[in-house]
Each structure stands twice: as structure tokens, then as C-alpha cells.
Amino acid sequence: MRRASRFLGVLLVGLSLLAVGGYLVLTQTMRSWFEADHALRSRLAVGSARQSLADNWHTSRSRLTETLADITRDERIMGAAACSEDGQLLAATESYPVEFSCRSVLERMRSEARKGATSWTMSPELPSGRLHLSVTLFEQGSEAKGAIVLVHDLSYVGRRELTTRNILLATFFIMALGAAAVTLIALRFAWKDWTRELRRALSGEATDEFQPLVSDVRSLAQRLANERVHEASGGRWSPARLRSALTQYLEGERVVILANREPYIHEKTPEGVRAVHPASGLVTALEPVMRSCSGVWVAHGSGSADRETVDRHDRILVPPGEESYQVRRVWLTEAEENGYYYGFSNEGLWPLCHVAHTRPLFRAEDYEYYVRVNQRFAEAVCEEVDSDDPIVLVQDYHFALAPKMIRERLPRATIITFWHIPWPNAERFGICPWREELISGLLGSSILGFHTQLHCNNFIDSVDAFMESRIDREEHAVIQGVRRTLVKPYPISIEWPVHWLNDVPNVVDCQLQVRRELGLPDDALVGVGVDRLDYTKGIEERLLAVDSLLTRYPEFRGKFTFVQIAAPSRTKIPRYLELNERVEAIATDVNKKWSSGSYRPIVLLRTHHEPASIFRFYRAAQLCYVSSLHDGMNLVAKEFVAARDDEQGVLILSQFTGAARDLTEALIVNPYDLQQAGDAMAGALRMPKSEQRERLHSMRRLVSEFNVYRWAGRMLVDAAELRRKERMTGRFATAQPFTPTEPYEEPPVA
Ligand code: F6P
């Protein structure tokens, strides 16, 4: 509407300007016509009276005057005069204006006569009105006698001009209105046509004209829809909201997860087969997602009772008692596990990606196993999908090659790969002998996620340094041929609320229970650390920080106990065995130094703890110290925050964790700075309850909002958007038809 009125305004102004211009040109033209007309009339009038004028020129003034009066009978000639050659007035009618003396008129006549003119006109503006003078030479034979001056009354010209102007303006105005009306009617029809065509185009009917526009409109609509899913009435992300996003945007397609670690490990125990929950941040995050989405989790079957608990397709329904999704177990020979898992993944890639001062070991035979096992898992994934364009979530550094391998089998798949550990800078990554292969494998993904933007940047820099590809920094994408991989940060989190807490006593009971179990007095101050026994976690530094605390703050001696839960991890790797010994040695030293009576400042619990049990420790502690030397995210920090529904307790967090970017109300420390870490522990133990509440309240709000359903939801919604785009650009059309995989053949044991 606003556009139409603007258009009308412009049209009217344009036409008015045209009208004024037209009017000026027209009056000018009319005036010159009138003047020419008067000159002609004058010549005719003088010509017809010539004889009488000649007869009376010098002889009879009265007759000359009569002749002049005859000439002025024409109503538009108001006066006439006869001037002699020397500028004397010979005769004039009464109405001849005295202002026009013969002398001045003849002077002008002479200068015009030199140009050869025999008559001329002038239009002096007088107070009496508009007059026009025409002067005609009067000659007898070849002898100049003087001139006849006729004065014309031009006031009628003014009247005519006024009438002309009015008619002209009225005509232009009517034309303007007519033009505007016609234009608006035409626009209306055109708009109807245009919208009908656009609608047809949007609903998929072929119409070339709008093709470029259609994709823009569609992507805008999709973006708005996505934003609605993210932000609108759905409120906080929850299992229900994640499910509905999956149904709404991915037609409820089942998700296939590929991760090395399985969510439930079946172990043989003296009491029978037991399902164990592994100590793994990856499992902590993804298991709740799978429970709400359903689908299949493809993983290494590593438990002693795993084989006997699966069906003939190596599948088992989990969680026990709930059975909402399947685990598909893949079996590895010992050699495969050694080469792929312990060797290339954990002695090569793990230290490569963590700045924790352990030299990566790259062995060619390990890499061969890594390739082979990636192929095995990729095939297992292809066996589990139920369409030719499935959604596959590939997890972590164990499967850098799998995305490309899956893509080769399923070109239409949407592959979302998440790298749970840091990605080093390009220079550091470049020391890996198979750097190109790893990057190329990951670029088989549709989306590649990291915890932080820094890790995304490092990856893009590595691509830039080692690969032939195009980097679209604006869209955060790497493009190779027709394939585009989005590289984006998706900071991982935990479920909210944490279902394990349903079975955990309240804070007061946990505090009593844990102290009694550890033989501590009821009023003992307790700190807690929970990790896999891994050199990246900074466990040695953590125990040394306890020493620093007790050295510098004697008030805590005999009162403060730090409980370190350290689940054994990757125990076949020498570096981990060495770490185990060092941690034990440090704990022994510190305990020796500060023990008195039954008091020991450090309690080392180096056994596997089930999640519910760990949450009891979180609730029992005054502080939790996460001292990782380098960590992609660290979910222990978020679990501690979730456990403390009493909003008491203090989180001390290494600045080298991804979590430190989110949990800014924690006491952020440099774990290498033992004195600073000791001071932070003292600060935590002395912190007023009100400050503890304030900090925890804020962190709880953040973790509850940015929970793992949001993490998964954002990736799935991005995947849906990507699928939609790929469908629209017709890229899927080139895909090969889906065929089931060949049965897997066991490779020879090396
Ligand atoms: O941090 C990387 C990671 O894969 C985590 O996702 C997980 O917490 C941990 O390593 C588990 O390690 P593993 O499976 O070797 O015990």
C-alpha cells in the first residue's frame, strides 16, 4: 500500500512538472504567434490605408488623423500615430499613449531597418496593461516618408493565456489521474499473476522465471521455521522437544550413532551378568539423546558378557527395563583393538590433539588397523540403516575415516560427525603422517562439530594447509567438488534434569553417607575429583594443589579431605600405567606429609563407580576440582553443577577446558599454578553460603538451558536444513540406489 501511494505521488509530481513545462512552452509559442499576427495585421492595415496616408501626409493633419482613426477601428488596435522621417509626430489618434514618442520609436526603427526589416514589434509592459507596438515603414516610391506606429491592446492575450493554462492544467490533471488509475489496475493484475506464479513455484511446479527467487524464499521460510523450533514456545530443550524436532524436521527418521564406546557393557561378575555404565563423557551425553530419539547405537562390544547378551544380529535392546533403542555390537580381534583403539586412537591421535606433553606415537601397522576397523564399523552402520538417506551420527577421533567410507556406500546420507576432543593447530596436526587421509575422511561428513569455535578454526586451518579444497569462511564450510561440509561449534552438555539423581539421596543424607563410608568425621570438609585415570586430566597437579592448600592454610589440616575417583582407563598403554603409579606416589607422599591419627588428606578411589554413586560424591562435597590440562569440554564440571540442587558447593575449573567458556561463575584456575589452585581451594572452603548460592544458581540456569537435548537438537535441525537444501539443489538425484552390504569377512589375525 505504501509503495502504491509512493508511486502515485511520484506520478502526480512528474505529470505536474510536465504540465508546468508544457504551459511555459505553449505561452511562449502563443505569444510569438500573436506578435507575428499583429505585425501582419499592421502591415495590412497600413497597406490598405496607404493612398489616404500618402495624400494627407504633409498636407492635412486632420485627414491624416481620420485615416489613423479608421485604422484603429479594429478592436485590438487601440491607437495609431504617424511619425515623420525626422521624428516629428504628424498625427495620432486620441488613445495613442504619449509614452511612445516618435523620436524613440524611429530610433529603434532605424536600427531595425539596417537589418533590412520593414516592420518590427515591441511589447513594453506598462501600468495600463500589456501593450504591443508594431511599426511599419511608410514610403512613397523609393522615398522614405516616416512610419506608422500602431499600438495593440494585448490584455486579451493575457486572458487567453490564463484560459489556456487552466485548460492545460485540467487536462494534465485528468491525464495524471487516468494514468495512475490505469497503472494501478495494471499493477494489480500483474501482482495477482506474480503471486500466483510465485505460489506455483514455491509449491514445486516448474516455473523458470522464479527459480532464483524461490530458493531464497524457501531458505528464509526454513530459517524462520528453524528459529521457531529453537526459540519459540518449545521453551527449554527436553527429550519431548528433541523427539518432536526429529518428527517435524526429519520425518521422525531413526538415528544411527557410531561410537567406539557402547552405552552398556555387559560384564560377567560372581553375581551373574551385570550391565555397567562406562566412565565416558561421550556416553553421558549421547545416551539420554538416544533414549529420547530411539534408533541404533553401533559400538565395539568390549564387555566379557557382551557376546552372550546379543541376538543373532549382534543387537541388544537397551536400557535394561526400558528398551527404547538398540545397541549393535561390532566385535574386534585383540590385534584390531590393540592397533585401532590403543595404538592409533589413544597413543597417536589422543596425545596429538591434547596439549598435555605426551608425545604421540604413530605406527604404520596401527594405522592399517585403524583403516580396517573404520571400514568394519562403516559397514555395520550401512547394515543398520533403513533408508538410502539415513541420519548417521559419527562420534569422536576413533572414526575419522568412517564418514567418507559411509558416504561412499550411502551418498545421500546425512552424516553428522562430532569430534569430542580438541583439534590442534595446523602445525601440530601436521605431524601426523596420515593427516590428509584423516581430514579427507572427516570431509565425508555433512556437518562436522567441535565443542568450540577455536577447534573449528584449527580444523579449517588444517584443511587450508593440507588439502585441495575451497573454504567458505562466511558459511563455515569446506567445499570439495559438489560436497560441502559445514564446520560448526556445538558445545556438548548433559541431560537436564539428570535421571541418575532420581535414585540419589538428598544432599544432607549424601554428606552423612559418604563421610561414614570413608571413615571421616561428620563435619569433615570434602573436595572431590572425578575422572578417567588419564594424563590430560591433571590429576597429579590436582593432588599437588591439595598439598599447596595444606602448606599455606594450616586451618584446613586435619579437616579437609580430597576424594579422587579415578576410573581405570586404557590400562594397556604404558603412559597410563605410568600415570597410575605417579598418582599413587603423589597421594602417598602428600598423605605422609599431612596425616595425623586416622586423618589422610587424600583418598584415592581407583575403581569404576556407577553414575548414581558418583552423584552422591558430588552432593557430599564442599568443592569439586576439575583440573584438566586440556579438555574439549569436560562434563564432570556440568554434572557437579546439576547435582547441587541445594545451590551449595564450589566448582574450581581449569581454564583449559571447553567448560570454562560456559561456566564462568566457577573459580577458574591454571592447573599448572599449584599455588593459585591451592588458594582457590581455600577460597572455596571459606566462601560465604550466599556467594556459593549465587554462583551455582547462575551456572545451573545455564546448564539447564544449554543441555544435551539442545546440543543434539541444534545439530539435527541443521542437518534437516542441509537435507532440504540438498534436495532442492537436486544433488541427491545423482546418488546410486541403496543396496544392502555384503556379509563381513573376518580379516586374518595379524
Ligand atoms: O574425551 C574423549 C572420549 O572419547 C570421551 O568422549 C570419553 O569420555 C572418553 O574419551 C572415553 O574414553 P574411552 O572410551 O577410551 O574409555
Side-chain angles (χ1 to χ4, degrees):
M1 190 62 210
R2 246 184 24 216
R3 279 198 178 174
S5 48
R6 206 180 303 159
F7 169 76
L8 262 185
V10 171
L11 190 71
L12 287 176
V13 170
L15 283 173
S16 309
L17 287 176
L18 208 64
V20 172
Y23 166 72
L24 289 176
V25 172
L26 203 64
T27 47
Q28 199 55 45
T29 313
M30 278 169 66
R31 194 167 295 173
S32 56
W33 284 346
F34 283 129
E35 285 174 6
D37 188 33
H38 289 305
L40 183 65
R41 275 164 173 267
S42 303
R43 279 200 301 277
L44 287 174
V46 172
S48 60
R50 180 169 298 281
Q51 194 51 55
S52 169
L53 289 170
D55 293 348
N56 302 307
W57 194 254
H58 285 300
T59 53
S60 170
R61 190 180 190 96
S62 60
R63 291 239 180 97
L64 196 54
T65 307
E66 274 170 27
T67 308
L68 291 176
D70 280 347
I71 293 174
T72 59
R73 273 206 192 102
D74 182 332
E75 58 168 344
R76 287 178 202 156
I77 301 176
M78 65 179 276
C83 300
S84 68
E85 174 69 358
D86 56 357
Q88 298 299 314
L89 179 68
L90 298 176
T93 59
E94 272 177 23
S95 52
Y96 182 82
V98 289
E99 293 92 330
F100 307 131
S101 69
C102 279
R103 195 171 302 281
S104 65
V105 169
L106 286 182
E107 255 171 37
R108 176 87 183 270
M109 183 195 78
R110 285 198 185 96
S111 78
E112 292 295 325
R114 275 196 291 277
K115 294 180 204 162
T118 54
S119 71
W120 80 98
T121 58
M122 54 193 277
S123 302
E125 287 289 340
L126 295 172
S128 48
R130 291 174 60 185
L131 296 178
H132 177 79
L133 257 63
S134 62
V135 184
T136 308
L137 293 176
F138 184 66
E139 292 168 330
Q140 241 180 348
S142 57
E143 188 189 349
K145 290 281 186 187
I148 301 297
V149 183
L150 299 182
V151 180
H152 303 267
D153 176 6
L154 284 194
S155 55
Y156 81 98
V157 175
R159 282 195 304 278
R160 281 194 184 174
E161 278 178 4
L162 195 67
T163 315
T164 312
R165 189 183 62 198
N166 289 345
I167 291 172
L168 204 68
L169 286 180
T171 311
F172 270 108
F173 186 68
I174 290 166
M175 275 172 57
L177 279 185
V182 169
T183 315
L184 281 182
I185 291 167
L187 269 181
R188 197 166 166 68
F189 279 116
W191 175 258
K192 265 191 173 172
D193 268 7
W194 193 83
T195 45
R196 195 176 45 238
E197 282 301 298
L198 187 59
R199 268 200 207 111
R200 281 186 55 214
L202 285 172
S203 64
E205 289 175 48
T207 139
D208 294 345
E209 212 180 330
F210 284 103
Q211 241 2 288
L213 194 62
V214 167
S215 53
D216 288 354
V217 173
R218 279 197 179 145
S219 77
L220 176 68
Q222 188 60 38
R223 230 183 28 244
L224 291 175
N226 289 351
E227 275 163 21
R228 260 205 316 273
V229 174
H230 279 306
E231 316 303 345
S233 55
R236 179 178 292 167
W237 279 91
S238 62
R241 190 168 169 202
L242 183 59
R243 259 195 310 274
S244 99
L246 202 60
T247 316
Q248 197 175 351
Y249 295 98
L250 293 160
E251 291 113 42
E253 311 198 29
R254 75 174 189 164
V255 169
V256 178
I257 285 189
L258 169 59
N260 172 70
R261 188 59 69 196
E262 53 185 339
Y264 296 90
I265 304 177
H266 287 91
E267 296 285 9
K268 289 179 187 159
T269 71
E271 295 80 40
V273 171
R274 200 162 66 95
V276 174
H277 302 92
S280 158
L282 180 153
V283 172
T284 304
L286 279 170
E287 211 272 337
V289 171
M290 272 312 258
R291 262 189 282 127
S292 53
C293 292
S294 81
V296 191
W297 182 314
V298 180
H300 171 213
S302 59
S304 53
D306 272 358
R307 279 184 195 262
E308 63 198 60
T309 46
V310 293
D311 65 13
R312 64 193 178 88
H313 301 293
D314 299 326
R315 297 185 189 123
I316 178 171
L317 275 166
V318 291
E322 201 178 302
E323 278 97 35
S324 50
Y325 68 97
Q326 289 182 330
V327 170
R328 158 74 194 276
R329 285 176 174 148
V330 174
W331 315 114
L332 298 181
T333 63
E334 197 183 348
E336 282 172 338
E337 193 180 357
N338 286 342
Y340 138 82
Y341 173 75
Y342 289 107
F344 193 73
S345 297
N346 287 315
E347 286 190 284
L349 293 180
W350 181 267
L352 174 74
C353 293
H354 289 92
V355 182
H357 323 294
T358 291
R359 182 177 283 184
L361 297 175
F362 289 114
R363 292 177 286 253
E365 58 275 26
D366 288 347
Y367 181 68
E368 274 167 36
Y369 277 112
Y370 187 81
V371 176
R372 186 196 292 194
V373 172
N374 267 250
Q375 192 65 52
R376 291 271 308 281
F377 276 96
E379 281 168 14
V381 166
C382 294
E383 284 161 16
E384 294 304 324
V385 302
D386 59 0
S387 71
D388 65 344
D389 61 346
I391 297 166
V392 181
L393 306 184
V394 178
Q395 305 300 311
D396 232 348
Y397 59 100
H398 309 94
F399 296 118
L401 304 177
K404 188 178 177 187
M405 294 168 172
I406 297 170
R407 169 80 53 217
E408 278 159 9
R409 292 287 310 278
L410 298 167
R412 289 157 53 97
T414 299
I415 303 170
I416 304 174
T417 302
F418 192 79
W419 193 263
H420 289 254
I421 61 176
W423 187 277
N425 63 40
E427 191 183 7
R428 187 177 169 93
F429 183 73
I431 67 176
C432 175
W434 297 280
R435 59 196 186 191
E436 286 90 358
E437 287 85 345
L438 295 178
I439 294 176
S440 165
L442 287 169
L443 290 179
S445 317
S446 318
I447 297 178
L448 175 58
F450 294 92
H451 291 299
T452 66
Q453 186 61 53
L454 175 71
H455 300 154
C456 293
N457 297 347
N458 285 350
F459 177 79
I460 299 251
D461 290 347
S462 307
V463 173
D464 207 8
F466 307 119
M467 306 297 288
E468 286 284 326
S469 60
R470 189 161 73 76
I471 293 168
D472 182 340
R473 289 187 192 267
E474 207 173 313
E475 292 283 324
H476 309 288
V478 177
I479 298 135
Q480 284 192 314
V482 293
R483 178 126 300 283
R484 166 182 285 261
T485 303
L486 288 188
V487 180
K488 288 180 71 174
Y490 299 94
I492 208 167
S493 193
I494 55 170
E495 62 175 334
W496 191 281
V498 175
H499 78 285
W500 298 111
L501 286 171
N502 298 338
D503 303 325
V504 175
N506 64 37
V507 170
V508 177
D509 289 348
C510 285
Q511 289 181 344
L512 280 175
Q513 271 184 23
V514 165
R515 281 167 181 72
R516 286 192 186 152
E517 276 170 33
L518 299 176
L520 301 174
D522 289 351
D523 63 349
L525 298 171
V526 172
V528 70
V530 178
D531 306 87
R532 282 180 308 101
L533 197 41
D534 193 293
Y535 53 86
T536 61
K537 302 294 178 185
I539 299 171
E540 295 141 284
E541 287 77 3
R542 196 178 308 170
L543 302 185
L544 290 170
V546 173
D547 180 48
S548 164
L549 167 79
L550 298 178
T551 308
R552 290 159 55 80
Y553 300 90
E555 65 195 270
F556 297 117
R557 293 176 197 159
K559 291 197 179 125
F560 176 71
T561 300
F562 192 84
V563 182
Q564 176 63 50
I565 297 176
S569 178
R570 305 169 190 170
T571 44
K572 279 193 177 177
I573 298 175
R575 178 69 181 89
Y576 284 77
L577 294 173
E578 191 189 311
L579 172 75
N580 183 35
E581 281 162 20
R582 281 190 12 204
V583 165
E584 176 154 8
I586 293 171
T588 308
D589 283 356
V590 175
N591 279 341
K592 236 191 236 162
K593 191 166 166 190
W594 302 110
S595 66
S596 65
S598 62
Y599 172 69
R600 305 270 179 283
I602 290 173
V603 175
L604 256 190
L605 302 175
R606 278 171 298 166
T607 52
H608 174 78
H609 282 66
E610 281 293 286
S613 169
I614 291 174
F615 275 91
R616 285 189 317 130
F617 281 92
Y618 290 141
R619 283 194 162 172
Q622 267 74 35
L623 66 87
C624 172
Y625 182 20
V626 173
S627 56
S628 304
L629 305 181
H630 198 193
D631 216 331
M633 175 54 70
N634 194 290
L635 294 183
V636 166
K638 295 190 176 179
E639 284 181 337
F640 175 72
V641 168
R644 299 313 296 255
D645 50 8
D646 62 335
E647 297 188 343
Q648 292 298 299
V650 179
L651 174 65
I652 304 173
L653 184 56
S654 158
Q655 68 187 76
F656 306 120
T657 59
R661 285 176 173 75
D662 295 345
L663 303 177
T664 47
E665 286 82 5
L667 300 184
I668 307 291
V669 296
N670 174 351
Y672 293 97
D673 186 340
L674 303 180
Q675 201 164 303
Q676 185 198 42
D679 291 351
M681 286 192 194
L685 295 171
R686 289 170 176 172
M687 188 181 286
K689 284 186 179 310
S690 58
E691 187 181 339
Q692 296 182 35
R693 177 162 296 115
E694 218 173 291
R695 286 173 183 269
L696 262 170
H697 183 78
S698 158
M699 289 191 282
R700 283 173 65 80
R701 231 186 30 208
L702 186 123
V703 179
S704 65
E705 191 67 39
F706 292 82
N707 57 37
V708 77
Y709 304 112
R710 188 179 191 277
W711 171 78
R714 279 188 53 222
M715 286 197 296
L716 291 176
V717 171
D718 284 354
E721 164 72 358
L722 207 71
R723 283 162 84 87
R724 195 192 53 73
K725 273 190 189 155
E726 285 182 341
R727 278 193 183 117
M728 268 176 51
T729 53
R731 183 127 40 80
F732 277 175
T734 58
Q736 298 304 310
F738 174 65
T739 47
T741 50
E742 294 296 316
Y744 170 69
E745 247 180 76
E746 195 73 32
V749 177

